[in-house]
Amino acid sequence: MGITQPETVPEPKYWHLKTVLSEALDSEFAVGEILPNERELAARFGVARATLRQALEQLELEGRLQRRRGVGTTVAPPRTVVAVGDGERSWPGGGPEIWQPVDSAEAQPPHAVARALGVPSDDPVHVVRRIRRSHGQPVAAELLYVPAATLPATAALGTLAGAARARAVLRELQRLPLDGQDRSVELGSARADDAKKLDRLPGAPVLLVTTRYFAGGGTAAVSVATYRADTCRLTFGDTGGPGMQLLAG
Amino acid sequence: MGITQPETVPEPKYWHLKTVLSEALDSEFAVGEILPNERELAARFGVARATLRQALEQLELEGRLQRRRGVGTTVAPPRTVVAVGDGERSWPGGGPEIWQPVDSAEAQPPHAVARALGVPSDDPVHVVRRIRRSHGQPVAAELLYVPAATLPATAALGTLAGAARARAVLRELQRLPLDGQDRSVELGSARADDAKKLDRLPGAPVLLVTTRYFAGGGTAAVSVATYRADTCRLTFGDTGGPGMQLLAG
DNA sequence: CAGTGGTCTAGACCACCAT
DNA sequence: TGGTGGTCTAGACCACTGT
């Protein structure tokens, strides 16, 4: 018996398909262009529709494609670069108005949040909902959890509702001295309500950015921001060098 | 005709399945425990295997499950918290040895990297490969791109290979004054070689952390680190407050 | 309404792992 | 070798979008 090749492992069809499609997107399609529909593409490549969809799903995950039910599959623009924090410690709602307050109410936080806040899980906290847009498109939805104990003047909130109440909570936060903050990023899937706000289907991949705000020797607030993973690239508090703007293009 | 319910939209089966399984994982299974196999589970829930798999895929994406071919599906431990950078600007390879150099060679960078470095795409650069482990498991693979023009003493590399060469490149970097850096995170899917290093299948979801290092008025190096998205939660340069360790548990 | 992507089925075969 | 998850098929129906 002669020496043979190490038996080239057969590449899965959907993986090969993804490569082919990816190259075609680079060379033959413009941003925003509509691809042939899935049944057509599957036939053209000689595979089942499910197999084609596996390739499309990956490309959508990588931000190369955008699929909308009832409409079609389009070539996605490059990911939107969104800055998360500015490297400075600051309360949410302080700087320029990137986030748009939606409403606020009292509710019981999820267990993980309650643990981070150091409050009992059945203790209601203020929940502020905000949404972030970029170029008109919603890119993130945020839930900000603030224990009643954190706010100096809770009483004034009683008469407010909706966005006005949200703004009031954020305004109260600014009065506290902020000791520091803490940020983490992980992959998640969109809950039904976030998905709707982000114009996606439930379960869509999202980047979860969790920020803990420290004040008065404890965790004064926790923010969980849900960013669309398909369309966003997150940048973080940069220790800026010279000419960073020039290199951005 | 009477006033009717707004026709409750039927929740997809896989979505409901995911919820049921998720609750079962919380209450009835311990970390590391092996679930019944997919055919068994599908039968038990009265759905096709493909539908069950859709639910399992989501749970794996969220870091709740771990699936290994030929072995089975196990309950995953909480995500590993990995620190990305320390808030200080520093060259890679400077601090404590979190990353383990693998090898180094000259190669043509991907277009996107070449653009960031400001060099022609067909200009070979030094590519250093490193791997990062946490609790014995590989969590990230990195490609560090360094243009020849960045390094003061390239000649000495000629006789070196493998990890020794990688260490030499990193050592040379330390001699340069670092002006600043720049970091972004986005979702991607693992290339075949990275997937193998991370003990995953190609296409597995990963968090791509891109760092640009600025020196001498330009981009002196670019690092692209590929973190397992299913098992990692990334934390970033914290503007630390008091007691952050205490709250970690 | 016609056309799109999203969900679901009931099979089949394959690659991998432990035994 | 037997059992696991991974890939693939060829259908079907549903939910949503635009006209």
Side-chain angles (χ1 to χ4, degrees), chain A residues 33-219:
Chain A
E33 198 168 341
I34 301 183
L35 267 58
N37 72 52
E38 297 184 347
R39 291 160 178 88
E40 162 78 26
L41 278 177
R44 190 177 300 183
F45 287 106
V47 299
R49 193 177 153 219
T51 304
L52 174 82
R53 279 179 60 81
Q54 217 173 334
L56 294 184
E57 263 151 38
Q58 286 239 353
L59 289 170
E60 191 179 28
L61 199 83
E62 295 174 21
R64 306 287 313 271
L65 291 179
Q66 217 160 326
R67 298 193 287 174
R68 273 178 307 166
R69 168 155 48 178
V71 179
T73 301
T74 58
V75 180
R79 281 187 170 135
T80 305
V81 175
V82 295
V84 177
D86 50 3
E88 298 296 315
R89 40 177 97 172
S90 63
W91 290 108
E97 281 310 321
I98 295 175
W99 291 89
Q100 166 187 343
V102 176
D103 60 16
S104 174
E106 279 191 292
Q108 292 185 7
H111 286 83
V113 172
R115 214 178 312 122
L117 287 171
V119 302
S121 211
D122 50 2
D123 221 25
V125 301
H126 295 287
V127 181
V128 176
R129 292 201 293 172
R130 297 196 298 171
I131 195 167
R132 181 174 182 168
R133 292 173 192 281
S134 181
H135 306 97
Q137 298 304 312
V139 294
E142 182 204 40
L143 291 177
L144 177 67
Y145 300 92
V146 186
T150 294
L151 292 184
T154 304
L157 297 176
T159 61
L160 297 173
R165 185 190 170 102
R167 273 188 288 269
V169 172
L170 293 171
R171 211 178 312 120
E172 286 301 311
L173 273 182
Q174 312 297 325
R175 306 155 67 107
L176 289 175
L178 178 62
D179 293 335
Q181 63 196 47
D182 192 30
R183 192 165 272 142
S184 76
V185 180
E186 62 188 312
L187 180 59
S189 50
R191 300 193 331 274
D193 54 342
D194 286 333
K196 181 168 287 186
K197 283 204 257 311
L198 296 178
D199 195 26
R200 299 254 58 201
L201 290 176
V206 292
L207 295 172
L208 292 178
V209 179
T210 306
T211 309
R212 298 189 295 178
Y213 296 92
F214 303 113
T219 307

Side-chain angles (χ1 to χ4, degrees), chain B residues 12-14 39 47-51 54 69-71:
Chain B
K13 278 190 188 178
Y14 78 90
R39 291 160 179 87
V47 299
R49 195 178 150 216
T51 303
Q54 217 173 336
R69 169 154 52 176
V71 178

